[in-house]
Amino acid sequence: MGCAHGKSCGHRPRSSDSDSREFQEVSQFSVHGKHILTERSIEFVPVPSRNFRLEYSVLTQRGYYPDSPDKENEDSFCIRTQVQGNPNLHFFGVFDGHGLFGAQCSNFVRDRLVDILANDPRLLDDPVNAYSSAFVRTNHELHDSEIDDTMSGTTAITVLVVGDKLLVANVGDSRAVIALKVGDRVLAENLSSDQTPFRRDEYERVKLCGATVLSLDQLVGLEDPDIQTWGDEESGGSDPPRLWVQNGTYPGTAFTRSIGDSTAEGIGVIADPEVCTVQLTPDHLFFVVASDGVFEFLSSQAVVDMVASYPDPRDACAAIAGESYKQWLAHENRTDDITIIIVHVKDLRNVPMLQGQHP
């Protein structure tokens, strides 16, 4: 979700990896739903410290905007294997830009965040602080760049594979999800929590920073502004609560954390990520990193179910993009940009780490 005039407002992405290969933006579906198969790559990378491998694919699709047919794809992504030259460190990130200069913000963060992270000597010994510092520094650098981020910025959802652990860092409302095999079921477990005013902790934090929190209908007087409950993201998603300066009609962000958005920083929109660590087990089948163009109308479980039904992640990416488009057009006259990274965890076994062994 982005500014007041759309769920995600305001690029044609390229990714980076250890071999500097570029993934191409693909057009999987026309606005009329016709399935167009295009060439997509599937990649493999080993994690030798635990003797397993990652199999991954990515798809990014520009949204359908009938009123702005030339609008850029404001999503971008980065896949970098062997961070710091370490064969056991691999980075996956999706960045969803918004605002007038959203594409530039998204591209900037795509390029700088992983570089800052890779150049931090604390990454292996203190990865949580290294990750948090990389987000904050990237935010400062964006402020100091030539890009006007007063009313533009980007969300960032990232996963760093460190041996058999995942470090997940998030600002905004894109999402990472992991699939866990439980008996004969495959369950979705969120690796991140959307940072929006629907969350009471985030609501209270931005209120303390001076934000006025209202839906658009409340802002224009169609609903009672004193009612400060909006249900959950599923029930209140069509007119979500947004952040405004006091007695003003801007910036209208529907998220509470991002990189950029220097105006919104004054009312509590921060670039400090929420970071979590997950220990991988043989029951973890795959994880998904995707922009909110996917999760606006699809639940985490629905996405995991779709991935689980396709052995090839390229087919799963195409199916999820198609279903996302279908759901958007069933609810609105446009779609959001859609970006999906699917990473399968292959051949992981419970092998104890040797004493003193580093990832």
Side-chain angles (χ1 to χ4, degrees):
M1 293 182 183
C3 75
H5 302 292
K7 299 270 191 308
S8 179
C9 315
H11 86 125
R12 184 176 181 94
R14 60 179 176 82
S15 76
S16 59
D17 64 16
S18 60
D19 297 323
S20 298
R21 291 185 294 267
E22 287 192 0
F23 288 88
Q24 296 291 322
E25 181 182 13
V26 298
S27 294
Q28 288 299 117
F29 300 86
S30 77
V31 298
H32 301 296
K34 182 180 179 182
H35 190 182
I36 305 171
L37 288 175
T38 56
E39 199 66 34
R40 305 184 306 280
S41 59
I42 185 168
E43 302 288 337
F44 303 86
V45 63
V47 184
S49 68
R50 294 296 176 272
N51 198 30
F52 71 98
R53 63 193 175 100
L54 304 173
E55 174 185 298
Y56 58 90
S57 187
V58 62
L59 180 151
T60 187
Q61 172 66 54
R62 188 182 77 87
Y64 167 55
Y65 303 99
D67 296 330
S68 304
D70 298 324
K71 185 178 179 180
E72 291 180 276
N73 185 349
E74 294 176 326
D75 282 1
S76 68
F77 64 89
C78 175
I79 297 173
R80 182 173 296 184
T81 58
Q82 300 186 19
V83 175
Q84 294 186 336
N86 188 325
N88 303 299
L89 294 182
H90 310 293
F91 178 90
F92 302 88
V94 170
F95 312 96
D96 182 353
H98 51 263
L100 184 60
F101 302 105
Q104 292 94 318
C105 292
S106 176
N107 286 328
F108 182 93
V109 175
R110 173 201 65 200
D111 295 336
R112 286 300 296 145
L113 178 63
V114 68
D115 282 346
I116 293 170
L117 191 64
N119 288 316
D120 193 324
R122 303 172 298 169
L123 183 55
L124 280 179
D125 296 326
D126 191 5
V128 173
N129 281 329
Y131 226 153
S132 296
S133 296
F135 271 70
V136 172
R137 180 176 165 188
T138 302
N139 187 53
H140 288 317
E141 289 191 7
L142 179 56
H143 290 343
D144 293 338
S145 73
E146 296 180 354
I147 300 170
D148 180 359
D149 71 347
T150 53
M151 296 284 285
S152 299
T154 184
T155 66
I157 177 65
T158 66
V159 176
L160 181 69
V161 179
V162 184
D164 60 354
K165 293 183 175 64
L166 303 182
L167 268 74
V168 184
N170 177 54
V171 293
D173 56 2
S174 294
R175 192 179 301 173
V177 181
I178 197 165
L180 179 67
K181 185 172 177 57
V182 179
D184 59 356
R185 297 180 298 165
V186 179
L187 302 181
E189 292 188 347
N190 287 336
L191 297 174
S192 60
S193 176
D194 299 356
Q195 296 149 351
T196 74
F198 284 112
R199 275 178 50 180
R200 202 65 191 176
D201 58 339
E202 288 292 282
Y203 166 84
E204 291 174 352
R205 183 181 61 77
V206 297
K207 288 287 286 185
L208 288 173
C209 294
T212 297
V213 182
L214 299 170
S215 69
L216 278 174
D217 281 352
Q218 289 176 311
L219 184 74
V220 300
L222 297 178
E223 299 287 346
D224 185 352
D226 293 329
I227 297 175
Q228 291 285 282
T229 56
W230 300 271
D232 55 27
E233 292 201 43
E234 290 187 9
S235 63
S238 61
D239 187 19
R242 298 176 180 273
L243 276 59
W244 315 92
V245 298
Q246 291 189 19
N247 302 314
T249 58
Y250 65 93
T253 63
F255 45 79
T256 55
R257 302 192 192 206
S258 70
I259 298 176
D261 295 296
S262 58
T263 298
E265 279 189 359
I267 53 172
V269 176
I270 57 176
D272 300 70
E274 292 181 312
V275 183
C276 74
T277 303
V278 176
Q279 175 68 56
L280 289 174
T281 74
D283 293 322
H284 287 120
L285 304 180
F286 55 83
F287 61 88
V288 178
V289 186
S291 62
D292 77 327
V294 170
F295 294 108
E296 184 70 25
F297 298 110
L298 296 179
S299 69
S300 297
Q301 187 62 55
V303 169
V304 162
D305 289 344
M306 294 181 75
V307 177
S309 66
Y310 292 93
D312 189 324
R314 293 171 295 185
D315 295 332
C317 282
I320 292 167
E323 184 62 23
S324 298
Y325 257 58
K326 177 182 174 182
Q327 292 298 322
W328 272 96
L329 293 175
H331 290 84
E332 302 194 17
N333 66 349
R334 68 173 188 94
T335 77
D336 200 356
D337 303 325
I338 293 168
T339 300
I340 315 152
I341 302 173
I342 298 173
V343 184
H344 283 271
V345 180
K346 297 287 190 178
D347 304 321
L348 177 63
R349 297 176 177 84
N350 280 324
V351 179
M353 180 185 287
L354 298 176
Q355 189 169 6
Q357 184 179 3
H358 241 313

